C-alpha cells in the first residue's frame, strides 16, 4: 500500500516569496491534515479536511496561508508571502475518517521549508 | 483545553536496557492518547494508542504504555532497547471534538 506522498521534500526561499506544497493521501482516506513542525517542537495542526470540506482551520494563519483539497483527494498548502518564522517542516497526514478523535493518522515524509 | 508534557527532551540508554519515556497529559474530558515515533527525515509513525479500552496498551516493536488516570500519565516503555529504537518519540492527546495535540518530543539515543 502506497503511503502519503509529499513534494517537494526541500524548499529554500527568501522572505516575502510564495511557496506551495503538495500532498497525495493514501487512497480511500477521507480525512487529510496539514501540520507545521518547528524545530524542537511537536507538530501543530494547521488545517483538517474531511473529503473536500474544511473541518478545522482554527490555527491556520489565514492572512498568509491557504489550503485546498479539490475533488477530495490531493491537497495543496500555500504560503504567500513567507516570513522567517515560517521555516519548519510541513507534514501532511491522512486517515480513514471514521472517527476524527481515534483514527490512526498516517504521515508523509514532510517538506522542509527554509525561509532566508 | 488539552496539553501534553514530555519530561526529558533527550534520553540515553544502553542497548539492552529498559526504555522509559515519560508523558503527562492535561484534559478536561476523557482523553485518547497516542505515541508516535519519528525517524530522521521521515514522517511520524503510530506506535500505539489508548482509546478507553484496556489501560495497558501494546504497540509495535515491543513498546507498551499504561494509562494511569490518577497520575494523568501515559509513559512509554520497552524492556530491552535496540539500536534501531534510536529516534524521536512524540506523545499526543485528543478528546471528543478536539484535535490531536502533540508534546515537544523526546530524542532517544541508544548506546552500544
Amino acid at each position: 500500500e502506497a503511503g502519503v506522498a509529499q513534494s517537494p521534500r526541500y524548499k529554500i526561499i527568501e522572505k516575502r516569496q510564495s511557496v506551495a506544497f503538495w500532498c497525495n493521501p493514501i487512497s480511500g482516506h477521507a480525512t487529510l491534515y496539514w501540520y507545521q513542525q518547528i524545530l524542537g517542537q511537536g507538530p501543530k495542526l494547521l488545517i483538517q479536511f474531511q473529503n473536500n470540506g474544511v473541518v478545522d482551520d482554527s490555527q491556520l494563519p489565514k492572512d498568509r496561508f491557504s489550503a485546498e483539497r479539490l475533488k477530495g483527494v490531493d491537497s495543496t498548502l500555500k504560503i504567500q508571502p513567507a516570513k522567517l518564522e515560517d521555516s519548519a517542516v510541513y507534514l501532511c497526514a491522512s486517515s480513514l475518517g471514521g472517527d476524527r478523535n481515534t483514527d490512526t493518522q498516517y504521515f508523509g515524509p514532510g517538506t522542509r521549508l527554509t525561509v532566508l | 483545553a488539552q496539553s501534553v508534557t514530555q519530561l526529558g527532551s533527550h534520553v540515553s540508554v544502553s542497548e539492552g536496557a529498559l526504555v522509559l519515556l515519560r508523558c503527562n497529559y492535561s484534559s478536561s474530558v476523557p482523553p485518547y492518547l497516542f505515541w508516535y515515533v519519528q525517524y530522521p527525515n521521515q514522517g511520524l509513525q503510530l506506535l500505539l494508542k489508548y482509546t478507553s479500552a484496556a489501560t495497558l496498551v501494546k504497540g509495535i516493536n515491543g513498546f507498551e504504555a499504561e494509562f494511569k488516570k490518577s497520575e494523568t500519565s501515559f509513559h512509554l516503555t520497552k524492556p530491552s532497547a535496540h539500536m534501531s529504537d534510536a529516534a524521536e518519540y512524540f506523545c499526543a492527546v485528543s478528546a471528543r471534538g478536539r484535535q490531536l495535540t502533540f508534546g515537544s518530543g523526546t530524542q532517544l539515543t541508544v548506546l552500544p
Side-chain angles (χ1 to χ4, degrees), chain A:
Chain A
E1 175 184 89
V4 176
Q6 291 188 247
S7 68
R9 291 296 311 276
Y10 305 91
K11 189 73 176 179
I12 300 174
I13 62 173
E14 295 189 349
K15 60 183 179 183
R16 290 187 290 273
Q17 286 187 322
S18 302
V19 66
F21 313 127
W22 173 82
C23 173
N24 182 237
I26 293 172
S27 177
H29 281 195
T31 308
L32 186 146
Y33 313 79
W34 282 102
Y35 287 89
Q36 180 191 58
Q37 185 177 18
I38 293 173
L39 186 65
Q41 299 181 20
K44 181 185 80 171
L45 181 69
L46 292 175
I47 189 167
Q48 177 183 344
F49 292 93
Q50 180 78 10
N51 296 309
N52 60 353
V54 175
V55 173
D56 186 347
D57 63 356
S58 58
Q59 298 191 98
L60 186 74
K62 299 181 185 64
D63 58 333
R64 297 184 300 106
F65 286 65
S66 64
E68 60 182 9
R69 191 183 184 197
L70 299 176
K71 301 180 182 178
V73 182
D74 293 7
S75 177
T76 56
L77 176 70
K78 297 179 182 178
I79 307 175
Q80 180 179 7
K83 292 185 175 182
L84 296 177
E85 58 262 35
D86 298 332
S87 294
V89 175
Y90 290 85
L91 295 166
C92 179
S94 69
S95 67
L96 281 171
D99 183 322
R100 70 171 290 205
N101 299 118
T102 60
D103 261 3
T104 295
Q105 295 185 28
Y106 296 84
F107 285 79
T111 297
R112 184 177 298 276
L113 174 67
T114 302
V115 182
L116 304 176

Side-chain angles (χ1 to χ4, degrees), chain B residues 26-66:
Chain B
S26 171
S27 177
S28 57
V29 296
Y32 305 116
L33 294 157
F34 305 77
W35 275 100
Y36 280 85
V37 61
Q38 187 175 33
Y39 297 100
N41 298 316
Q42 295 186 29
L44 282 74
Q45 179 184 8
L46 181 69
L47 278 177
L48 49 82
K49 62 181 177 181
Y50 166 75
T51 58
S52 75
T55 57
L56 180 62
V57 182
K58 295 186 183 297
I60 61 172
N61 301 338
F63 284 94
E64 64 181 37
E66 186 172 8

